[in-house]
Amino acid sequence: MITAERKPLEEIVESVASFDRILLVGCNECVTVCAAGGRKEVGLLASALNMTFLKGGKSVQITEHTLERQCDPEYVEELSQLVGGADAILSMACGAGVQELARRYKDKPVLPALNTMFMGASERAGVWSERCAGCGNCVLGITGGICPIARCSKRIMNGPCGGSTNGKCEISDDVDCAWHLIWERLKALGQTDLYEVNMDAKDWRPAGGAGPRTIVREDLAE
Amino acid sequence: MSFLKRLTAKEFVVLAEMHTPKGVDISRLVNDGRRLKGRVDAVLVPDMDNGIMRLSALAGGVLLQQQGLEAIIAVYCRDKNRMALQGDLLAAHVLGVQNLIVVPSADMAQSDHRDAKPVFDLDEAGLLNAIATLQEGKDLGSADLDGRPFFNTGCALASLADGAPFDEALEAVKAQLAAGATFVITPPVFDVQACAGPLKKLGELGVPIIAAVFLIKSVAVARYLARNDAGAHVSDALIQRIKKAADRESEAVKIAAEIVQALGSVTQGVLLQTHGWEHRLPAILDMAGL
Amino acid sequence: MTHPQSNQSEGKVLVVGGGMGGMRTALDLAESGRDVVLVDKAVSIGGLMTQLDRTFPTNNCDLCTLSPNLSQAGRAHRIDLRTMTRVEATKGEQGAFEVTLTTTPRHIDIDRCTACGDCLRDHPECVSFTPGLDHRAPTCMRYPQAIPQAYSINMEQCADVDALVKSCPVGAIVIDDKITTVTETFGSIVLAPGAEVYDPSPIAALGYSEQPDVLTSLEYERLLSASGPTGGKLLRPSNGQAPKKVAWLQCVGSRARQADQGVSYCSSACCMFAIKEAIVTKERFGTDIETTIFNMDIRTSGKGYEAYYQRSKDTDEVRFVRCRTQNLQAGETGALQLRYLPEESDTFVTEGFDMVVLSTGFFIPEDIRTLADQLKVDLNAHGFALTDSFHPVSTSRAGVYVAGLFEGPKDIPETMVQASAAACMAATHVGVTPDASPTEELPPERKIDDEPVRVGVFVCECGENIGGVVDVDNLVSHAQTLGDVTHSENVGYGCSAESMEHIRETIVEQKLNRVVIGGCSPRTHLTRFQDLLRKAGLNRYLVDIANLRDQDAWVHRDAPELATAKGRELIQMGVAAVRQSKPLADQTLPMSQDVLVVGGGVAGMSAALSLAGQGFKVHLAERENELGGEARNLRRTLEGEDVRTQIEHLVAATEGHDKIQVYTGALIVDHGGMPGKFTTGMQVGPQLFYRQITHGATVLATGALANRPSVYMLGEHDAVSTQHDIESLLEDDTDTVKTWSKVVMIQCAGSRTKENPACSRICCQSSIKNALRILDVNPAASIWVLYRDMRTIGMQEDAYQEARRRGVIFVRYDPENPPQVEPVDDKVKVTFHDPILADDLSMHADRVLLSTGFIADDEGTEELARIFRLPRTEDGYLLEDHIKLRPVDLPTLGFYVAGTAHSPKSIKESVAQAQAAASRVQTLLARGEINLGAAVARVEASRCAACLVCVRACPYGVPFINADGNSEIDPALCHGCGICAAECPAKAIQLQQFDDDQILAKLEGLLERITA
Amino acid sequence: MSEPTPQFEPVIVAFCCHYCAYTAADQAGAQRLSYPANVKIVRVPCSGKVDALHLLRAFEKGADGVYVAGCLEGDCHFNNGNTRAARRVTQVQKLIEEIGIEKERIEMVLMSAGMGDRFAEVATEITEKIRALGPSPIRGGKPAPARAQTKASAKAAK
Amino acid sequence: MKTDSVLEKILTSGQLAVTSEVGPPRGTDPEAVKKKGELLRGVVDVVNVTDNQTAMVRMSSMAACAHLKQLGLHPMLQMVTRDRNRLAMQADILGAYSHGIDNMLCLSGDHPKFGDHPMAANVHDLDSVQFLRMVKDMRDEGKFQGGDEITDPPKMFIGAAANPFADPFELRVARLAKKSAAGADFVQTQCIYNIPKFKEWMKGVCARGLHKEIYVLAGITPMKSVGMARYMKNKVPGMDVPADIIKRMAGVEKKKAAAEGITMAVEMIQELKEVEGVAGFHIMAIEWERKVPEIVERAGLLPRPSV
């Protein structure tokens, strides 16, 4: 899941300060699950913005709407009725959603209300952690299902470095040493021999090193 | 690795106690068991402890083994004569239950069948002897068996209370070890330091010692233990700690986990006794870092 | 005319007396599935309590607390209510009593009468109301919520029968109504005929007959009542002016030394009654009114009463004067001159008062003695029904039970306890009958989807309670201005039967589809109004209550304008919320019929045996290793009963009962579920084996502890012990007792103190019991009792007087200056101040006996209260749902309390409360199914993002993601907390009854004026 | 009688759980304990039902102070609704601070059903505190225009 | 001989090598480096020059190395993967070698979180193992990492760092093996305080025969004070300072603490000399270079061999 968190209110307020009618659009996918941009957060932000403007003596019309998914044109189309009545669109989706709105509604400023963070998993209620860096060349099969690219602070592919203590990364006791986890997992799987293999220098092209990436499924693409 | 292998390899073992139902609704046992799969080395199934008639430990143990757990079942002398005992032991082997623990029989004063006739055909050492005999391919009547069963058998220490109670219990354990038991399970330990003496003496026996860790669920239970069980060493500070906790249930789990951790370097394993709060076992294991 | 009766009525219980006690008995029996005939000689039921204005210690309006019971009694279809009916004769025995009942003609067809009052207006001479106790004939209806809601006519007084008949617009007058006599068969009989209040006229010195400003306490109560002769204004009958100085004289007609001065026992309730009247007087009519209570002892030994007494002194500045004699005469200026001898003085004092209230006690009148005679029920010397400690509501005749004042003088909570206990006992003789005759055919629910919203607002005045502070008419007219409100009115007492019917009619006539009641707390009254909507053909969830009483009028008494303004806002909020409400359906589950009783003392065992006797499976959990509780240490009661033998019997019966599963050494460790289906886990026996029990109801009989305070050298000197300690000594070692030449007893040792503020209730009688017993063994002993107030309530007073007669010396001490105890070899020296001698005395005692009473079992109840989530009082006793009317029910449905876990009490009171708890349990379990209400979480699948937040947040693990990939919540398992709804990031979950639209509408309703 | 000095009368919304705080409020009434009329109670089944959104909307509609009153710690009738509510209150405190509203304007209080006196005390204290803080900063501005919340189903596009 | 490195020569000859290090200044004045270098002349064989040590910006290691080289000392270029991608790294290696710098140490580097630029991009195009492989391939295959041939490849004597104490301990030997396999000729270890643990590690290294493939230089850092000891124990990632070391430091008077630290370092070297597989010492006297001669002398490592 893509995770995100709300930008500081001040930054959002500044970005929409010059508009009188704002269409605030949430997304019912990933950002709902990570409590950043679902109906509830849309409601909270609308309230907060409204109050901020009221405080400044300004009256702003905020229309709330939450789409099933902001990164699909068909869902985004749903907004066409509402966009006319707005001076700007404030999106509570990930960067993909924001860009999809901007692509579809070319004459409206589309502003992000969230900072898109990472692809992560939910550790427990209310806690999400980075799990995948989208590097385009998955090595999880030889690292015991734990990604050194996303989860090692130094992206070390032949770890661990010399800084880990008690299974924790040198940068913080709150961060697990990915290589410690990998090693434990490989041990449990009886695959410690996989560790001995030196992983070659990584080809970063699939990770975006070669520019924006596109996936085309020939059989599905029209 | 099986329970026996871990014991032999001197690795720390984690056991959990799971009671069979009084009745035939096994859903709770099975569900709690599934939740423990992969988290403990084996589950200990007591048999009619406290003199409460229930589903037999053998059946409970087999059920849990079907869930992918390894079972240790309790065997004792109060309710069966040597015929029934031997027959059930053979059955246990055939059904795949190979871990036994010989336990003393609970007093029937608190039983729900106080009028029942206690058998005591054998005593604990006699039962261990019977197990050894069976393993040699004979029964107590010296007849040859078709096929020899194999068991990994432990015994239970009766008391950790300093002085005479412990000394007597220790002698009994020695006798049982001599009769074939290979590991010992202690009564609940609440204060590892206070029990250091007895635990040390047990350690000197040279067999794996597994200490019971009991989840104290309430202040009343803590007080009860403090008042009624000299070997428990439940201190007033512990009672106050539970009492002052905002969430007594979580505090109890924390205390159990701390004891487990403290025992890590003292004994070769722990037996978690949650008595009905098996749903809390994962929390104890998490907190104890197991 | 006599109707020969068939055998059909075997399954019925006859309840005689329609006061609070009789009503409670009848209601309990009806709710637990028994058919009841409730007879009362009066024209309407309600008894004495209907004449009270407010009751202590909560100072609630009685009419408000009582009326729900009354109208319930009137409508419960299992109760056959027969007013103006007397018991004439009985035959047969338990299981099949044949009882002859005679009904006086009312000349009114109750079913037709609408209580419009036209007959009264036109023919006051022959239309009768019970005039109440005011000998100055009030002109009002006895009370506005009377049940049945009908008048009665005395045809003999009627001069023009034709005119009378014509005066009735509905033709309800029956000219040829005759006395009817029927003989019916009853399985058992409960006697709750009440008592009468002493008429002080014979005591000339009190001037009651001559002086209009001398009133009885009940008359004073009528004067305070909103429905009373002055419309709730405190005015002197003599001149119609407000009094500035009011005196109460206690023990008028009670604790009398001579027969012509009244009865010798203590009437038990008058002290609290007087204190309450004094406080209410100040609260309602001005703090500058001087209130003085003249008394011998203040006997406030009920639960919470001592604190109320202390508050009256400290906060309300009620003056208490202890004195011996008094007489009254009118002074020259019209003031009443009261002459009295203060306790600490030897000269008489004369003081003027504007009004004098005589706190008159109870006595059993001749007609009740006659009733007892007809029922062959033995009475004691005072005319009260004979009972014993272990059978507190059983009369001498098997199958006949007693409750309330007829059993002995008592207060309302004890009456309510006995009433339920009597119901429990009476129910043992009659089976549960199927609910064959639902008298209320509910109309089908109206479909309102297509209707425009039409809100009706009904605002209660609740007498002075709301109307005295809030401008109700202002609220009514304000409501009319609110959106969608099509009807708005003032309904007086909204919960009275009359008003309820009016509201129902209005809903139907005006086609209202949403209702807002401005009244008291929805906690207590929402269900009643929901039922009303249902009767009016609306879904029950289309109503909201604006809490104008508990959260407005009562708390803003000093600021009526603010209260009115807030009331308007509360109504606005209510209207806004109901506009958003939708019809909802209730969820149900079957109930477990098993009962968990916690505590194996006298109360626990009695409750268990009562329930098991009725066929319920009982799990009895006792934390000790044997049954018996504190009472194991007792030997005899004041009345001389052998406690030990009785306890042994109880234990044997409990352990031997095949419906009772006893768990000794049982510690409760967890609890969950809901009323009707609780699960409780406990650890049992030496190995702490875990058992989990599923049960429909829970009785807490966890007891209290014998107090052992570190005072007066207790525990430090062998000559100092508690009353408790010497029980066995007195029985088994009389030789030692014979060596005592001087015994000093100190009362209130460790009770009524800062640490343990409650009165322990039983210690005064214990000391009397032990004093008399010591004298039996050792007549030469000199016994001194140092006390603060002797609280020998009821018939215990006789024993107190006997002790005085036999030479026991009673000396009052001041808590500020308590007795001093010092060791002198094997004796102790006791020094104390004697107020009568006005001197310090000092004596060497062979034995000092401390009356230490009870202390709440903090160790036991603190944790149990946490596990069961029940509130406790500040001093650690379990807090009941309503101190007066629901003394057995705990605030969480399905939990009941019995015995000293509730408050200090005697064995007799404990057993009664245990039986009462058993009765209350039956009323719950008879419902058969659990109504989970409609407050359940619902998922709007199209919005659900399947994020698992609800799955993780639910405290009960109910939500799950279903095959469609959406969260699903089983309404039968949902507990209705709404946590999932609050956490759902997609706003896909709503908690019905509390959905966001409604909550936000409330906010909007409230804050309208700011944003508008 | 002296002329009452005109003072700022704050509007305070109290979300009270049915089992404890609301009962305590009724208790206060039964005991005739007085507290400021500024406090208006919204009854909820559990303090855990109070959504951050409700708290924020209360301010938006013009409340000067808001509090959530739940059961004592460990006493929640629904296990832990009160602690959840407390966490939400903390979250909303942060949010309103971002908006520029003093975080003291919202708080969580705990009480048992029997604590009528505590209810009155808390209501008085909070009212005084809010009174001292003055009107909510957002009340200085113009009224809030109604905000549209589109009802169109998001699934319609599917 | 793979290279012309003096270090390689000493190690190949079987003599104990001694290295030390200097940190370049946070400014442009080369004197500081030169001064520190002078202190070490004749005392150690090769002087490491750190690369943005502790993720703080300093004069580049290559420039500082060049200054030392001009003084006739033998510098060792340290390089971390944190700040450069593979292009920049290779370019700098070519540049360094062109200045006659023929020793280098390949590291991953401290995380920027600890430094003065926590907001900096954390490059890590390669990890240290991949880095070693790249340098080795440049030297032995004469190829850039991308595969193109190098005219006049750089002949670097390649070093790596090893922390025998970091968790998981059981992995530490294997990790050394990986570095060795990737191309490391020698390894300088993390400061050693826990000698038993170091010996255990060395035992593992020898058991695997690694000591025959890679030279192990034991890291030594003298303690200046008990405060430093505690800091190292608690604050420095991957450092293992046993309690008895702290106790020993705490047991002496404050002004004698530094001397005690030196003595302890000397004792350690003497003890470690006897350990199989220890090929030399890397003395990291952080900002205390003036004490290195004393340590080396008292440890009986003087005079340094000339090769």
Side-chain angles (χ1 to χ4, degrees), chain C residues 642-903:
Chain C
D642 179 349
V643 176
R644 179 169 286 184
T645 310
Q646 292 285 357
I647 300 283
E648 281 164 7
H649 286 161
L650 264 182
V651 171
T654 306
E655 287 180 339
H657 204 295
D658 61 3
K659 281 282 188 182
I660 302 177
Q661 169 96 51
V662 176
Y663 307 86
T664 49
L667 308 171
I668 307 280
V669 290
D670 57 51
H671 175 75
M674 64 191 87
K677 195 164 191 167
F678 295 118
T679 51
T680 300
M682 55 192 181
Q683 295 200 274
V684 186
Q687 289 173 38
L688 296 168
F689 175 60
Y690 181 79
R691 296 293 305 254
Q692 206 173 40
I693 289 159
T694 301
H695 51 111
T698 315
V699 176
L700 290 177
T702 52
L705 297 177
N707 195 6
R708 285 197 83 81
S710 301
V711 292
Y712 305 120
M713 307 204 61
L714 181 62
E716 293 170 44
H717 196 292
D718 289 343
V720 180
S721 55
T722 68
Q723 300 281 9
H724 221 60
D725 295 337
I726 63 153
E727 290 255 343
S728 288
L729 198 71
L730 288 175
E731 293 299 318
D732 306 331
D733 186 9
T734 47
D735 289 347
T736 303
V737 177
K738 281 178 186 151
T739 65
W740 298 345
S741 62
K742 188 161 279 172
V743 176
V744 178
M745 298 183 176
I746 304 177
Q747 301 303 105
C748 298
S751 297
R752 301 177 67 190
T753 60
K754 222 165 98 186
E755 297 75 34
N756 184 27
C759 163
S760 289
R761 192 170 172 96
I762 50 108
C763 350
C764 281
Q765 53 157 310
S766 306
S767 58
I768 299 291
K769 172 179 79 179
N770 287 345
L772 291 174
R773 183 74 185 146
I774 292 169
L775 289 178
D776 287 346
V777 175
N778 177 8
S782 149
I783 302 175
W784 292 65
V785 178
L786 311 181
Y787 72 101
R788 288 170 58 186
D789 293 279
M790 280 311 290
R791 292 183 169 173
T792 42
I793 49 179
M795 260 82 75
Q796 297 162 9
E797 179 72 8
D798 289 344
Y800 174 38
Q801 295 307 334
E802 187 193 339
R804 279 181 172 275
R805 267 198 311 279
R806 287 174 63 181
V808 178
I809 300 164
F810 291 83
V811 181
R812 186 190 306 280
Y813 73 86
D814 186 337
E816 303 296 317
N817 181 22
Q820 301 299 319
V821 177
E822 305 160 55
V824 179
D825 303 327
D826 61 337
K827 296 189 178 187
V828 282
K829 187 173 117 184
V830 184
T831 311
F832 55 91
H833 180 80
D834 185 329
I836 294 176
L837 301 174
D839 199 4
D840 283 353
L841 293 185
S842 157
M843 56 187 60
H844 286 78
D846 299 286
R847 190 55 88 123
V848 168
L849 294 176
L850 304 182
S851 298
T852 46
F854 284 111
I855 189 155
D857 179 5
D858 191 59
E859 207 172 272
T861 54
E862 187 262 350
E863 189 161 69
L864 277 181
R866 273 174 92 111
I867 293 172
F868 290 129
R869 302 206 172 96
L870 295 168
R872 295 193 303 159
T873 61
E874 277 190 10
D875 46 355
Y877 293 98
L878 291 171
L879 180 63
E880 64 275 45
D881 193 38
H882 189 289
I883 198 163
K884 301 294 282 190
L885 300 178
R886 288 162 67 81
V888 185
D889 298 52
L890 291 169
T892 306
L893 182 64
F895 282 90
Y896 307 92
V897 61
T900 49
H902 166 266
S903 65

Side-chain angles (χ1 to χ4, degrees), chain B:
Chain B
M1 199 187 282
S2 77
F3 169 58
L4 176 59
K5 277 188 192 157
R6 283 189 75 101
L7 270 190
T8 328
K10 299 231 182 292
E11 288 189 49
F12 196 74
V13 293
V14 179
L15 313 181
E17 192 172 275
M18 297 193 79
H19 286 84
T20 54
K22 190 175 178 71
V24 293
D25 180 358
I26 54 165
S27 54
R28 204 184 139 108
L29 177 71
V30 167
N31 284 328
D32 285 339
R34 281 184 190 153
R35 243 174 260 142
L36 281 181
K37 196 175 162 182
R39 300 224 51 178
V40 296
D41 297 306
V43 283
L44 194 158
V45 188
D47 203 2
M48 315 222 197
D49 58 340
N50 245 11
I52 305 292
M53 195 291 300
R54 271 175 292 144
L55 184 83
S56 77
L58 175 56
V62 170
L63 277 169
L64 289 167
Q65 300 223 121
Q66 285 168 1
Q67 310 312 314
L69 292 149
E70 187 169 346
I72 307 167
I73 61 168
V75 288
Y76 62 105
C77 305
R78 186 190 60 217
D79 299 340
K80 291 172 194 158
N81 67 8
R82 65 189 76 190
M83 299 290 285
L85 282 168
Q86 291 181 95
D88 285 355
L89 287 166
L90 296 180
H93 175 83
V94 169
L95 292 170
V97 178
Q98 298 192 341
N99 300 305
L100 307 173
I101 174 141
V102 173
V103 295
S105 305
D107 175 23
M108 293 291 272
Q110 298 295 324
S111 165
D112 59 355
H113 286 66
R114 286 178 220 188
D115 303 337
K117 182 181 181 198
V119 179
F120 294 117
D121 184 14
L122 300 177
D123 62 9
E124 282 82 35
L127 176 53
L128 280 157
N129 179 45
I131 294 168
T133 311
L134 291 175
Q135 294 190 89
E136 285 160 16
K138 295 207 178 288
D139 66 11
L140 289 183
S142 301
D144 286 338
L145 299 177
D146 281 347
R148 285 155 62 159
F150 167 76
F151 297 108
N152 171 34
T153 312
C155 62
L157 178 79
S159 173
L160 273 171
D162 289 322
F166 174 72
D167 295 342
E168 281 167 27
L170 187 63
E171 286 313 308
V173 159
K174 280 181 185 164
Q176 294 187 49
L177 291 174
T182 56
F183 64 96
V184 181
I185 295 187
T186 75
V189 172
F190 296 95
D191 184 335
V192 179
Q193 263 184 332
C195 295
L199 287 177
K200 187 159 175 282
K201 281 187 198 160
L202 283 170
E204 287 161 5
L205 295 173
V207 297
I209 304 299
I210 297 167
V213 174
F214 182 101
L215 180 65
I216 303 179
K217 294 174 200 160
S218 70
V219 177
V221 170
R223 278 199 199 102
Y224 178 89
L225 290 165
R227 283 172 196 166
N228 296 296
D229 186 351
H233 297 287
V234 171
S235 66
D236 198 46
L238 186 71
I239 295 172
Q240 289 307 318
R241 177 175 162 192
I242 302 172
K243 190 166 182 201
K244 285 186 186 129
D247 181 349
R248 291 181 187 175
E249 216 179 295
S250 303
E251 195 67 20
V253 168
K254 209 167 138 194
I255 288 168
E258 286 171 14
I259 297 167
V260 170
Q261 279 178 329
L263 284 166
S265 54
V266 182
T267 62
Q268 213 202 303
V270 286
L271 165 66
L272 302 174
Q273 297 177 316
T274 44
H275 289 272
W277 282 14
E278 280 74 20
H279 62 283
R280 283 301 217 164
L281 279 167
I284 300 174
L285 293 167
D286 286 346
M287 224 176 270
L290 292 172

Side-chain angles (χ1 to χ4, degrees), chain C residues 402-535:
Chain C
V402 61
L405 288 173
F406 181 41
E407 191 274 331
K410 61 178 59 67
D411 203 342
I412 296 166
E414 288 92 72
T415 297
M416 299 308 278
V417 167
Q418 282 193 337
S420 285
C424 171
M425 297 309 290
T428 58
H429 305 280
V430 296
V432 173
T433 54
D435 195 353
S437 56
T439 51
E440 283 179 1
E441 286 291 337
L442 289 172
E445 262 186 40
R446 213 167 88 205
K447 289 250 178 299
I448 60 158
D449 305 1
D450 302 330
E451 296 179 10
V453 174
R454 296 170 62 84
V455 183
V457 178
F458 300 91
V459 186
C460 306
E461 267 188 327
C462 201
E464 287 288 298
N465 277 295
I466 296 173
V469 181
V470 172
D471 181 349
V472 170
D473 293 333
N474 178 305
L475 261 50
V476 168
S477 53
H478 175 70
Q480 250 138 16
T481 68
L482 301 174
D484 296 334
V485 173
T486 56
H487 179 89
S488 154
E489 69 171 308
N490 176 344
V491 285
Y493 287 94
C495 54
S496 67
E498 187 187 22
S499 296
M500 296 281 271
E501 178 56 19
H502 170 73
I503 295 170
R504 192 193 65 77
E505 280 170 3
T506 310
I507 291 169
V508 174
E509 281 164 17
Q510 306 256 349
K511 292 202 166 50
L512 302 176
N513 51 26
R514 305 287 193 287
V515 173
V516 172
I517 304 291
C520 53
S521 178
R523 280 177 48 250
T524 50
H525 280 66
L526 185 59
T527 315
R528 297 172 45 66
F529 286 105
Q530 287 177 333
D531 291 349
L532 177 65
L533 256 72
R534 186 63 200 84
K535 272 162 76 178

